[in-house]
Amino acid sequence: MKRSIHQFIDKDLMGKTIVIANQKGGVGKTTTTINLAASLALAEKDILVIDTDPQGNLTSGLGVNRDELQKSLYDIYTSRFPIEDVIIETSVPHLHIVPSNIDLLGVEVELVQKEGREKILLNAIAKIKNNYRYIFIDCPPSLGLLTLNGLVAADSIIVPVQCEYYSLEGLGLLSRTLKLVRGSFNPTLDIEGILLTMFDSRNTLSHQVAEEVRKFFKEKVYHTLIPRNVALGEAPSHGKPAILYDARSKGAQSYLSLAKEILSR
């Protein structure tokens, strides 16, 4: 008999911050943040997502209008508002967001001289961390100040890896980045897991990439594979996670399986 996600959620882990990052673009970082967070929120535990990408795709993907924001992550970085004043509800019960928009582009320039600028997000999260079961930070595909803040603020990292050849090259770069961050800013940053995305079971290369990643990262690689799926691509344009857009789709079901796997570890 299949077990409900509710059967996994009662473990006494509170206030864990996980950054979802990969310096390579197009690997499914925002898709993973939206759908994993929504799947966990279904278990009626409060989840917070933080959009640290100036494009604001996480924000719009959860149905929040970027153009109508009165407060955003930019205001936290510039000390205009504390994080608790910026957090808003989404259409998914128990799922909250620190939204973002194009204003965030100016942060790296404005804070270039600010002491401790790499710890701004860490300090902001500290005030509200234990209000949430999980906090997920969605990062842009670069190693700038915004991504660095995410890596410094996090307890661990989930790395989405697209099942294609060039993703293997990106993993080497990521390993060097993690070594740098651990050495200079966050010595306890752990790999929560490596997530294989855009997997095509009919494609030999997908299987080869999955095998290589598992060989290198071993038990850190999730058993759950995220397939290429139409619903995962369409849902953001409707401002919904896949579980609300098409609950029966393979994409929605794969993220539910991922949520169960994370909670059962």
Side-chain angles (χ1 to χ4, degrees):
M1 184 176 72
K2 283 192 173 182
R3 289 183 288 175
S4 162
I5 193 170
H6 294 266
Q7 294 175 265
F8 292 92
I9 199 75
D10 291 328
K11 296 181 180 180
D12 57 350
L13 176 63
M14 290 295 293
K16 188 167 190 178
T17 302
I18 300 176
V19 63
I20 297 181
N22 188 330
Q23 288 161 249
K24 189 176 186 303
V27 298
K29 292 186 294 294
T30 301
T31 298
T32 294
T33 307
I34 291 173
N35 290 289
L36 175 57
S39 296
L40 290 166
L42 287 178
E44 299 181 358
K45 296 294 181 181
D46 287 335
I47 308 293
L48 176 67
V49 292
I50 301 176
D51 189 351
T52 71
D53 192 334
Q55 294 183 80
N57 290 335
L58 175 65
T59 300
S60 61
L62 283 171
V64 178
N65 191 326
R66 292 168 296 193
D67 298 327
E68 295 180 358
L69 289 175
Q70 300 300 312
K71 303 168 187 173
S72 70
L73 182 60
Y74 173 81
D75 296 302
I76 296 171
Y77 274 107
T78 55
S79 302
R80 290 185 61 206
F81 294 104
I83 190 170
E84 53 266 35
D85 288 355
V86 180
I87 294 171
I88 58 177
E89 295 179 349
T90 71
S91 59
V92 182
H94 300 284
L95 179 57
H96 303 82
I97 184 173
V98 173
S100 178
N101 58 20
I102 201 68
D103 291 347
L104 200 57
L105 275 177
V107 161
E108 301 208 21
V109 175
E110 293 180 37
L111 300 182
V112 69
Q113 300 295 334
K114 186 178 176 67
E115 187 175 349
R117 59 190 178 277
E118 73 281 349
K119 295 183 178 179
I120 294 174
L121 191 57
L122 171 68
N123 294 333
I125 288 174
K127 303 172 186 177
I128 50 88
K129 186 170 183 177
N130 287 327
N131 295 343
Y132 297 93
R133 176 64 187 266
Y134 287 105
I135 297 173
F136 293 102
I137 303 171
D138 182 34
C139 291
S142 63
L143 186 59
L145 181 61
L146 296 170
T147 297
L148 181 58
N149 261 266
L151 292 169
V152 172
D155 299 305
S156 60
I157 178 173
I158 289 177
V159 185
V161 177
Q162 185 177 356
C163 290
E164 64 168 32
Y165 172 74
Y166 289 111
S167 295
L168 296 175
E169 293 183 346
L171 280 175
L173 180 60
L174 177 72
S175 296
R176 292 195 293 272
T177 298
L178 290 179
K179 186 176 180 180
L180 172 65
V181 172
R182 285 171 179 150
S184 302
F185 303 109
N186 187 357
T188 61
L189 181 64
D190 188 26
I191 295 178
E192 183 78 19
I194 308 295
L195 177 65
L196 296 166
T197 64
M198 304 179 195
F199 182 82
D200 185 347
S201 60
R202 301 165 299 177
N203 189 324
T204 301
L205 181 59
S206 282
H207 291 279
Q208 290 174 341
V209 170
E211 183 179 345
E212 287 298 313
V213 173
R214 292 189 191 281
K215 188 184 300 181
F216 187 78
F217 287 99
K218 299 181 171 59
E219 73 280 355
K220 288 292 185 181
V221 184
Y222 292 115
H223 295 295
T224 302
L225 297 168
I226 308 300
R228 288 190 178 276
N229 181 250
V230 173
L232 290 177
E234 292 179 346
S237 65
H238 296 270
K240 297 178 179 179
I243 194 66
L244 295 186
Y245 177 70
D246 184 357
R248 295 184 178 181
S249 67
K250 288 184 178 179
Q253 290 299 312
S254 66
Y255 277 107
L256 280 172
S257 295
L258 176 63
K260 293 175 183 177
E261 185 174 352
I262 287 174
L263 291 168
S264 66
R265 282 192 170 191

PDB file of all heavy atoms in Angstrom, residues 97-132:
ATOM      1  N   ILE A  97       6.232  32.964   0.438  1.00  0.00           N
ATOM      2  CA  ILE A  97       7.332  33.347  -0.444  1.00  0.00           C
ATOM      3  C   ILE A  97       7.886  34.720  -0.084  1.00  0.00           C
ATOM      4  O   ILE A  97       7.142  35.619   0.323  1.00  0.00           O
ATOM      5  CB  ILE A  97       6.867  33.341  -1.924  1.00  0.00           C
ATOM      6  CG1 ILE A  97       8.042  33.650  -2.872  1.00  0.00           C
ATOM      7  CG2 ILE A  97       5.710  34.314  -2.162  1.00  0.00           C
ATOM      8  CD1 ILE A  97       7.703  33.485  -4.352  1.00  0.00           C
ATOM      9  N   VAL A  98       9.196  34.854  -0.211  1.00  0.00           N
ATOM     10  CA  VAL A  98       9.843  36.171  -0.286  1.00  0.00           C
ATOM     11  C   VAL A  98      10.007  36.431  -1.775  1.00  0.00           C
ATOM     12  O   VAL A  98      10.858  35.806  -2.422  1.00  0.00           O
ATOM     13  CB  VAL A  98      11.203  36.182   0.431  1.00  0.00           C
ATOM     14  CG1 VAL A  98      11.909  37.518   0.189  1.00  0.00           C
ATOM     15  CG2 VAL A  98      11.034  35.946   1.919  1.00  0.00           C
ATOM     16  N   PRO A  99       9.184  37.304  -2.353  1.00  0.00           N
ATOM     17  CA  PRO A  99       9.173  37.475  -3.801  1.00  0.00           C
ATOM     18  C   PRO A  99      10.328  38.343  -4.301  1.00  0.00           C
ATOM     19  O   PRO A  99      11.019  39.009  -3.517  1.00  0.00           O
ATOM     20  CB  PRO A  99       7.829  38.161  -4.050  1.00  0.00           C
ATOM     21  CG  PRO A  99       7.606  38.977  -2.808  1.00  0.00           C
ATOM     22  CD  PRO A  99       8.180  38.156  -1.681  1.00  0.00           C
ATOM     23  N   SER A 100      10.484  38.344  -5.607  1.00  0.00           N
ATOM     24  CA  SER A 100      11.560  39.120  -6.229  1.00  0.00           C
ATOM     25  C   SER A 100      11.078  39.712  -7.542  1.00  0.00           C
ATOM     26  O   SER A 100      10.125  39.230  -8.154  1.00  0.00           O
ATOM     27  CB  SER A 100      12.772  38.212  -6.471  1.00  0.00           C
ATOM     28  OG  SER A 100      13.802  38.913  -7.117  1.00  0.00           O
ATOM     29  N   ASN A 101      11.761  40.758  -7.956  1.00  0.00           N
ATOM     30  CA  ASN A 101      11.527  41.334  -9.290  1.00  0.00           C
ATOM     31  C   ASN A 101      12.819  41.948  -9.800  1.00  0.00           C
ATOM     32  O   ASN A 101      13.889  41.775  -9.210  1.00  0.00           O
ATOM     33  CB  ASN A 101      10.370  42.349  -9.265  1.00  0.00           C
ATOM     34  CG  ASN A 101      10.604  43.492  -8.289  1.00  0.00           C
ATOM     35  OD1 ASN A 101      11.739  43.772  -7.893  1.00  0.00           O
ATOM     36  ND2 ASN A 101       9.541  44.160  -7.882  1.00  0.00           N
ATOM     37  N   ILE A 102      12.716  42.694 -10.884  1.00  0.00           N
ATOM     38  CA  ILE A 102      13.897  43.213 -11.575  1.00  0.00           C
ATOM     39  C   ILE A 102      14.707  44.184 -10.716  1.00  0.00           C
ATOM     40  O   ILE A 102      15.894  44.416 -10.979  1.00  0.00           O
ATOM     41  CB  ILE A 102      13.470  43.891 -12.909  1.00  0.00           C
ATOM     42  CG1 ILE A 102      14.638  43.987 -13.877  1.00  0.00           C
ATOM     43  CG2 ILE A 102      12.812  45.227 -12.649  1.00  0.00           C
ATOM     44  CD1 ILE A 102      15.098  42.641 -14.404  1.00  0.00           C
ATOM     45  N   ASP A 103      14.110  44.744  -9.663  1.00  0.00           N
ATOM     46  CA  ASP A 103      14.840  45.648  -8.766  1.00  0.00           C
ATOM     47  C   ASP A 103      16.090  44.982  -8.191  1.00  0.00           C
ATOM     48  O   ASP A 103      17.074  45.650  -7.866  1.00  0.00           O
ATOM     49  CB  ASP A 103      13.953  46.095  -7.597  1.00  0.00           C
ATOM     50  CG  ASP A 103      12.822  47.011  -8.043  1.00  0.00           C
ATOM     51  OD1 ASP A 103      12.868  47.497  -9.187  1.00  0.00           O
ATOM     52  OD2 ASP A 103      11.891  47.229  -7.236  1.00  0.00           O
ATOM     53  N   LEU A 104      16.038  43.657  -8.061  1.00  0.00           N
ATOM     54  CA  LEU A 104      17.134  42.923  -7.441  1.00  0.00           C
ATOM     55  C   LEU A 104      18.432  43.017  -8.243  1.00  0.00           C
ATOM     56  O   LEU A 104      19.522  42.767  -7.708  1.00  0.00           O
ATOM     57  CB  LEU A 104      16.725  41.451  -7.274  1.00  0.00           C
ATOM     58  CG  LEU A 104      17.480  40.599  -6.251  1.00  0.00           C
ATOM     59  CD1 LEU A 104      17.415  41.218  -4.866  1.00  0.00           C
ATOM     60  CD2 LEU A 104      16.915  39.183  -6.232  1.00  0.00           C
ATOM     61  N   LEU A 105      18.327  43.404  -9.512  1.00  0.00           N
ATOM     62  CA  LEU A 105      19.522  43.545 -10.349  1.00  0.00           C
ATOM     63  C   LEU A 105      20.520  44.540  -9.765  1.00  0.00           C
ATOM     64  O   LEU A 105      21.728  44.407  -9.955  1.00  0.00           O
ATOM     65  CB  LEU A 105      19.125  44.000 -11.761  1.00  0.00           C
ATOM     66  CG  LEU A 105      18.723  42.925 -12.772  1.00  0.00           C
ATOM     67  CD1 LEU A 105      18.297  43.574 -14.068  1.00  0.00           C
ATOM     68  CD2 LEU A 105      19.873  41.956 -13.004  1.00  0.00           C
ATOM     69  N   GLY A 106      20.019  45.534  -9.047  1.00  0.00           N
ATOM     70  CA  GLY A 106      20.897  46.579  -8.541  1.00  0.00           C
ATOM     71  C   GLY A 106      21.641  46.236  -7.279  1.00  0.00           C
ATOM     72  O   GLY A 106      22.548  46.971  -6.858  1.00  0.00           O
ATOM     73  N   VAL A 107      21.307  45.103  -6.664  1.00  0.00           N
ATOM     74  CA  VAL A 107      21.869  44.773  -5.354  1.00  0.00           C
ATOM     75  C   VAL A 107      23.387  44.633  -5.376  1.00  0.00           C
ATOM     76  O   VAL A 107      24.093  45.163  -4.520  1.00  0.00           O
ATOM     77  CB  VAL A 107      21.209  43.486  -4.799  1.00  0.00           C
ATOM     78  CG1 VAL A 107      22.071  42.878  -3.699  1.00  0.00           C
ATOM     79  CG2 VAL A 107      19.836  43.804  -4.248  1.00  0.00           C
ATOM     80  N   GLU A 108      23.916  43.914  -6.364  1.00  0.00           N
ATOM     81  CA  GLU A 108      25.352  43.652  -6.375  1.00  0.00           C
ATOM     82  C   GLU A 108      26.156  44.937  -6.475  1.00  0.00           C
ATOM     83  O   GLU A 108      27.216  45.073  -5.853  1.00  0.00           O
ATOM     84  CB  GLU A 108      25.691  42.689  -7.517  1.00  0.00           C
ATOM     85  CG  GLU A 108      24.968  41.357  -7.399  1.00  0.00           C
ATOM     86  CD  GLU A 108      25.718  40.199  -8.037  1.00  0.00           C
ATOM     87  OE1 GLU A 108      26.942  40.323  -8.214  1.00  0.00           O
ATOM     88  OE2 GLU A 108      25.077  39.181  -8.322  1.00  0.00           O
ATOM     89  N   VAL A 109      25.658  45.909  -7.236  1.00  0.00           N
ATOM     90  CA  VAL A 109      26.356  47.187  -7.369  1.00  0.00           C
ATOM     91  C   VAL A 109      26.204  48.017  -6.100  1.00  0.00           C
ATOM     92  O   VAL A 109      27.175  48.590  -5.590  1.00  0.00           O
ATOM     93  CB  VAL A 109      25.820  47.967  -8.583  1.00  0.00           C
ATOM     94  CG1 VAL A 109      26.455  49.358  -8.646  1.00  0.00           C
ATOM     95  CG2 VAL A 109      26.082  47.203  -9.865  1.00  0.00           C
ATOM     96  N   GLU A 110      24.996  48.061  -5.559  1.00  0.00           N
ATOM     97  CA  GLU A 110      24.726  48.898  -4.396  1.00  0.00           C
ATOM     98  C   GLU A 110      25.434  48.423  -3.139  1.00  0.00           C
ATOM     99  O   GLU A 110      25.750  49.224  -2.255  1.00  0.00           O
ATOM    100  CB  GLU A 110      23.214  48.957  -4.145  1.00  0.00           C
ATOM    101  CG  GLU A 110      22.447  49.695  -5.237  1.00  0.00           C
ATOM    102  CD  GLU A 110      20.958  49.735  -4.965  1.00  0.00           C
ATOM    103  OE1 GLU A 110      20.579  49.873  -3.790  1.00  0.00           O
ATOM    104  OE2 GLU A 110      20.180  49.603  -5.929  1.00  0.00           O
ATOM    105  N   LEU A 111      25.686  47.130  -3.048  1.00  0.00           N
ATOM    106  CA  LEU A 111      26.276  46.583  -1.829  1.00  0.00           C
ATOM    107  C   LEU A 111      27.757  46.256  -1.958  1.00  0.00           C
ATOM    108  O   LEU A 111      28.339  45.634  -1.065  1.00  0.00           O
ATOM    109  CB  LEU A 111      25.520  45.318  -1.406  1.00  0.00           C
ATOM    110  CG  LEU A 111      24.030  45.485  -1.096  1.00  0.00           C
ATOM    111  CD1 LEU A 111      23.445  44.157  -0.652  1.00  0.00           C
ATOM    112  CD2 LEU A 111      23.800  46.542  -0.029  1.00  0.00           C
ATOM    113  N   VAL A 112      28.378  46.689  -3.035  1.00  0.00           N
ATOM    114  CA  VAL A 112      29.759  46.296  -3.305  1.00  0.00           C
ATOM    115  C   VAL A 112      30.720  46.711  -2.191  1.00  0.00           C
ATOM    116  O   VAL A 112      31.719  46.039  -1.924  1.00  0.00           O
ATOM    117  CB  VAL A 112      30.229  46.848  -4.674  1.00  0.00           C
ATOM    118  CG1 VAL A 112      30.365  48.366  -4.642  1.00  0.00           C
ATOM    119  CG2 VAL A 112      31.528  46.193  -5.108  1.00  0.00           C
ATOM    120  N   GLN A 113      30.426  47.824  -1.500  1.00  0.00           N
ATOM    121  CA  GLN A 113      31.295  48.299  -0.431  1.00  0.00           C
ATOM    122  C   GLN A 113      30.810  47.908   0.967  1.00  0.00           C
ATOM    123  O   GLN A 113      31.465  48.230   1.963  1.00  0.00           O
ATOM    124  CB  GLN A 113      31.412  49.834  -0.505  1.00  0.00           C
ATOM    125  CG  GLN A 113      31.976  50.369  -1.804  1.00  0.00           C
ATOM    126  CD  GLN A 113      33.428  49.967  -2.040  1.00  0.00           C
ATOM    127  OE1 GLN A 113      34.162  49.706  -1.089  1.00  0.00           O
ATOM    128  NE2 GLN A 113      33.844  49.878  -3.299  1.00  0.00           N
ATOM    129  N   LYS A 114      29.672  47.245   1.051  1.00  0.00           N
ATOM    130  CA  LYS A 114      29.077  46.953   2.353  1.00  0.00           C
ATOM    131  C   LYS A 114      29.788  45.794   3.043  1.00  0.00           C
ATOM    132  O   LYS A 114      29.939  44.714   2.475  1.00  0.00           O
ATOM    133  CB  LYS A 114      27.587  46.620   2.193  1.00  0.00           C
ATOM    134  CG  LYS A 114      26.845  46.430   3.520  1.00  0.00           C
ATOM    135  CD  LYS A 114      25.371  46.163   3.273  1.00  0.00           C
ATOM    136  CE  LYS A 114      24.623  45.877   4.561  1.00  0.00           C
ATOM    137  NZ  LYS A 114      24.559  47.054   5.425  1.00  0.00           N
ATOM    138  N   GLU A 115      30.193  46.011   4.257  1.00  0.00           N
ATOM    139  CA  GLU A 115      30.863  44.961   5.018  1.00  0.00           C
ATOM    140  C   GLU A 115      29.866  43.856   5.390  1.00  0.00           C
ATOM    141  O   GLU A 115      28.742  44.127   5.780  1.00  0.00           O
ATOM    142  CB  GLU A 115      31.465  45.563   6.293  1.00  0.00           C
ATOM    143  CG  GLU A 115      32.327  44.591   7.065  1.00  0.00           C
ATOM    144  CD  GLU A 115      33.013  45.246   8.264  1.00  0.00           C
ATOM    145  OE1 GLU A 115      32.977  46.490   8.352  1.00  0.00           O
ATOM    146  OE2 GLU A 115      33.561  44.497   9.092  1.00  0.00           O
ATOM    147  N   GLY A 116      30.304  42.627   5.248  1.00  0.00           N
ATOM    148  CA  GLY A 116      29.448  41.488   5.572  1.00  0.00           C
ATOM    149  C   GLY A 116      28.310  41.285   4.608  1.00  0.00           C
ATOM    150  O   GLY A 116      27.302  40.649   4.951  1.00  0.00           O
ATOM    151  N   ARG A 117      28.462  41.757   3.375  1.00  0.00           N
ATOM    152  CA  ARG A 117      27.361  41.685   2.403  1.00  0.00           C
ATOM    153  C   ARG A 117      26.983  40.250   2.037  1.00  0.00           C
ATOM    154  O   ARG A 117      25.859  39.994   1.628  1.00  0.00           O
ATOM    155  CB  ARG A 117      27.711  42.473   1.131  1.00  0.00           C
ATOM    156  CG  ARG A 117      28.959  42.000   0.423  1.00  0.00           C
ATOM    157  CD  ARG A 117      29.371  42.972  -0.680  1.00  0.00           C
ATOM    158  NE  ARG A 117      30.605  42.571  -1.350  1.00  0.00           N
ATOM    159  CZ  ARG A 117      31.826  42.835  -0.897  1.00  0.00           C
ATOM    160  NH1 ARG A 117      31.967  43.501   0.237  1.00  0.00           N
ATOM    161  NH2 ARG A 117      32.891  42.448  -1.546  1.00  0.00           N
ATOM    162  N   GLU A 118      27.922  39.307   2.213  1.00  0.00           N
ATOM    163  CA  GLU A 118      27.624  37.912   1.872  1.00  0.00           C
ATOM    164  C   GLU A 118      26.767  37.225   2.934  1.00  0.00           C
ATOM    165  O   GLU A 118      26.294  36.105   2.731  1.00  0.00           O
ATOM    166  CB  GLU A 118      28.923  37.121   1.656  1.00  0.00           C
ATOM    167  CG  GLU A 118      29.698  36.812   2.913  1.00  0.00           C
ATOM    168  CD  GLU A 118      30.525  37.998   3.428  1.00  0.00           C
ATOM    169  OE1 GLU A 118      30.659  39.003   2.686  1.00  0.00           O
ATOM    170  OE2 GLU A 118      31.033  37.913   4.555  1.00  0.00           O
ATOM    171  N   LYS A 119      26.528  37.899   4.065  1.00  0.00           N
ATOM    172  CA  LYS A 119      25.757  37.299   5.155  1.00  0.00           C
ATOM    173  C   LYS A 119      24.401  37.977   5.380  1.00  0.00           C
ATOM    174  O   LYS A 119      23.727  37.705   6.376  1.00  0.00           O
ATOM    175  CB  LYS A 119      26.563  37.350   6.454  1.00  0.00           C
ATOM    176  CG  LYS A 119      27.822  36.509   6.422  1.00  0.00           C
ATOM    177  CD  LYS A 119      28.548  36.540   7.757  1.00  0.00           C
ATOM    178  CE  LYS A 119      29.789  35.657   7.733  1.00  0.00           C
ATOM    179  NZ  LYS A 119      30.520  35.694   9.027  1.00  0.00           N
ATOM    180  N   ILE A 120      24.006  38.844   4.455  1.00  0.00           N
ATOM    181  CA  ILE A 120      22.748  39.577   4.646  1.00  0.00           C
ATOM    182  C   ILE A 120      21.558  38.626   4.716  1.00  0.00           C
ATOM    183  O   ILE A 120      20.698  38.727   5.590  1.00  0.00           O
ATOM    184  CB  ILE A 120      22.549  40.620   3.525  1.00  0.00           C
ATOM    185  CG1 ILE A 120      23.630  41.697   3.628  1.00  0.00           C
ATOM    186  CG2 ILE A 120      21.153  41.255   3.613  1.00  0.00           C
ATOM    187  CD1 ILE A 120      23.611  42.701   2.487  1.00  0.00           C
ATOM    188  N   LEU A 121      21.496  37.676   3.789  1.00  0.00           N
ATOM    189  CA  LEU A 121      20.369  36.739   3.763  1.00  0.00           C
ATOM    190  C   LEU A 121      20.410  35.811   4.981  1.00  0.00           C
ATOM    191  O   LEU A 121      19.365  35.509   5.573  1.00  0.00           O
ATOM    192  CB  LEU A 121      20.382  35.928   2.466  1.00  0.00           C
ATOM    193  CG  LEU A 121      19.134  35.104   2.163  1.00  0.00           C
ATOM    194  CD1 LEU A 121      17.886  35.971   2.136  1.00  0.00           C
ATOM    195  CD2 LEU A 121      19.294  34.361   0.839  1.00  0.00           C
ATOM    196  N   LEU A 122      21.591  35.370   5.366  1.00  0.00           N
ATOM    197  CA  LEU A 122      21.752  34.532   6.552  1.00  0.00           C
ATOM    198  C   LEU A 122      21.185  35.232   7.786  1.00  0.00           C
ATOM    199  O   LEU A 122      20.423  34.639   8.562  1.00  0.00           O
ATOM    200  CB  LEU A 122      23.227  34.220   6.771  1.00  0.00           C
ATOM    201  CG  LEU A 122      23.605  33.534   8.089  1.00  0.00           C
ATOM    202  CD1 LEU A 122      23.051  32.114   8.138  1.00  0.00           C
ATOM    203  CD2 LEU A 122      25.128  33.524   8.277  1.00  0.00           C
ATOM    204  N   ASN A 123      21.537  36.493   7.968  1.00  0.00           N
ATOM    205  CA  ASN A 123      21.078  37.248   9.140  1.00  0.00           C
ATOM    206  C   ASN A 123      19.573  37.482   9.098  1.00  0.00           C
ATOM    207  O   ASN A 123      18.895  37.465  10.133  1.00  0.00           O
ATOM    208  CB  ASN A 123      21.831  38.573   9.230  1.00  0.00           C
ATOM    209  CG  ASN A 123      23.317  38.385   9.507  1.00  0.00           C
ATOM    210  OD1 ASN A 123      23.716  37.388  10.114  1.00  0.00           O
ATOM    211  ND2 ASN A 123      24.137  39.308   9.063  1.00  0.00           N
ATOM    212  N   ALA A 124      19.047  37.705   7.895  1.00  0.00           N
ATOM    213  CA  ALA A 124      17.601  37.930   7.756  1.00  0.00           C
ATOM    214  C   ALA A 124      16.817  36.667   8.100  1.00  0.00           C
ATOM    215  O   ALA A 124      15.824  36.709   8.837  1.00  0.00           O
ATOM    216  CB  ALA A 124      17.279  38.390   6.341  1.00  0.00           C
ATOM    217  N   ILE A 125      17.272  35.531   7.590  1.00  0.00           N
ATOM    218  CA  ILE A 125      16.577  34.259   7.811  1.00  0.00           C
ATOM    219  C   ILE A 125      16.604  33.848   9.273  1.00  0.00           C
ATOM    220  O   ILE A 125      15.646  33.223   9.777  1.00  0.00           O
ATOM    221  CB  ILE A 125      17.192  33.159   6.918  1.00  0.00           C
ATOM    222  CG1 ILE A 125      16.817  33.392   5.450  1.00  0.00           C
ATOM    223  CG2 ILE A 125      16.727  31.766   7.350  1.00  0.00           C
ATOM    224  CD1 ILE A 125      17.499  32.448   4.487  1.00  0.00           C
ATOM    225  N   ALA A 126      17.676  34.194   9.976  1.00  0.00           N
ATOM    226  CA  ALA A 126      17.825  33.783  11.376  1.00  0.00           C
ATOM    227  C   ALA A 126      16.631  34.200  12.232  1.00  0.00           C
ATOM    228  O   ALA A 126      16.270  33.508  13.186  1.00  0.00           O
ATOM    229  CB  ALA A 126      19.114  34.368  11.949  1.00  0.00           C
ATOM    230  N   LYS A 127      15.979  35.303  11.864  1.00  0.00           N
ATOM    231  CA  LYS A 127      14.865  35.827  12.657  1.00  0.00           C
ATOM    232  C   LYS A 127      13.596  34.985  12.537  1.00  0.00           C
ATOM    233  O   LYS A 127      12.753  34.994  13.434  1.00  0.00           O
ATOM    234  CB  LYS A 127      14.551  37.259  12.214  1.00  0.00           C
ATOM    235  CG  LYS A 127      15.731  38.220  12.314  1.00  0.00           C
ATOM    236  CD  LYS A 127      15.385  39.561  11.680  1.00  0.00           C
ATOM    237  CE  LYS A 127      16.597  40.478  11.647  1.00  0.00           C
ATOM    238  NZ  LYS A 127      16.290  41.767  10.969  1.00  0.00           N
ATOM    239  N   ILE A 128      13.464  34.272  11.419  1.00  0.00           N
ATOM    240  CA  ILE A 128      12.200  33.558  11.164  1.00  0.00           C
ATOM    241  C   ILE A 128      12.410  32.077  10.873  1.00  0.00           C
ATOM    242  O   ILE A 128      11.459  31.355  10.572  1.00  0.00           O
ATOM    243  CB  ILE A 128      11.428  34.214   9.989  1.00  0.00           C
ATOM    244  CG1 ILE A 128      12.326  34.422   8.753  1.00  0.00           C
ATOM    245  CG2 ILE A 128      10.867  35.558  10.412  1.00  0.00           C
ATOM    246  CD1 ILE A 128      12.409  33.287   7.804  1.00  0.00           C
ATOM    247  N   LYS A 129      13.640  31.604  11.001  1.00  0.00           N
ATOM    248  CA  LYS A 129      13.986  30.254  10.540  1.00  0.00           C
ATOM    249  C   LYS A 129      13.127  29.169  11.162  1.00  0.00           C
ATOM    250  O   LYS A 129      12.648  28.264  10.479  1.00  0.00           O
ATOM    251  CB  LYS A 129      15.464  29.986  10.815  1.00  0.00           C
ATOM    252  CG  LYS A 129      15.956  28.658  10.249  1.00  0.00           C
ATOM    253  CD  LYS A 129      17.469  28.550  10.342  1.00  0.00           C
ATOM    254  CE  LYS A 129      17.950  27.264   9.707  1.00  0.00           C
ATOM    255  NZ  LYS A 129      19.422  27.160   9.714  1.00  0.00           N
ATOM    256  N   ASN A 130      12.909  29.236  12.458  1.00  0.00           N
ATOM    257  CA  ASN A 130      12.176  28.160  13.127  1.00  0.00           C
ATOM    258  C   ASN A 130      10.664  28.275  12.996  1.00  0.00           C
ATOM    259  O   ASN A 130       9.930  27.482  13.588  1.00  0.00           O
ATOM    260  CB  ASN A 130      12.588  28.085  14.595  1.00  0.00           C
ATOM    261  CG  ASN A 130      13.984  27.507  14.752  1.00  0.00           C
ATOM    262  OD1 ASN A 130      14.395  26.652  13.974  1.00  0.00           O
ATOM    263  ND2 ASN A 130      14.730  27.995  15.722  1.00  0.00           N
ATOM    264  N   ASN A 131      10.198  29.243  12.214  1.00  0.00           N
ATOM    265  CA  ASN A 131       8.769  29.329  11.907  1.00  0.00           C
ATOM    266  C   ASN A 131       8.383  28.366  10.782  1.00  0.00           C
ATOM    267  O   ASN A 131       7.193  28.182  10.502  1.00  0.00           O
ATOM    268  CB  ASN A 131       8.388  30.745  11.475  1.00  0.00           C
ATOM    269  CG  ASN A 131       8.565  31.754  12.588  1.00  0.00           C
ATOM    270  OD1 ASN A 131       8.676  31.398  13.754  1.00  0.00           O
ATOM    271  ND2 ASN A 131       8.600  33.031  12.232  1.00  0.00           N
ATOM    272  N   TYR A 132       9.389  27.772  10.120  1.00  0.00           N
ATOM    273  CA  TYR A 132       9.140  26.952   8.929  1.00  0.00           C
ATOM    274  C   TYR A 132       9.833  25.603   9.048  1.00  0.00           C
ATOM    275  O   TYR A 132      10.920  25.488   9.616  1.00  0.00           O
ATOM    276  CB  TYR A 132       9.648  27.678   7.677  1.00  0.00           C
ATOM    277  CG  TYR A 132       8.911  28.968   7.428  1.00  0.00           C
ATOM    278  CD1 TYR A 132       9.407  30.181   7.920  1.00  0.00           C
ATOM    279  CD2 TYR A 132       7.692  28.966   6.752  1.00  0.00           C
ATOM    280  CE1 TYR A 132       8.717  31.367   7.720  1.00  0.00           C
ATOM    281  CE2 TYR A 132       6.996  30.150   6.557  1.00  0.00           C
ATOM    282  CZ  TYR A 132       7.504  31.338   7.035  1.00  0.00           C
ATOM    283  OH  TYR A 132       6.814  32.504   6.851  1.00  0.00           O
TER     284      TYR A 132
END
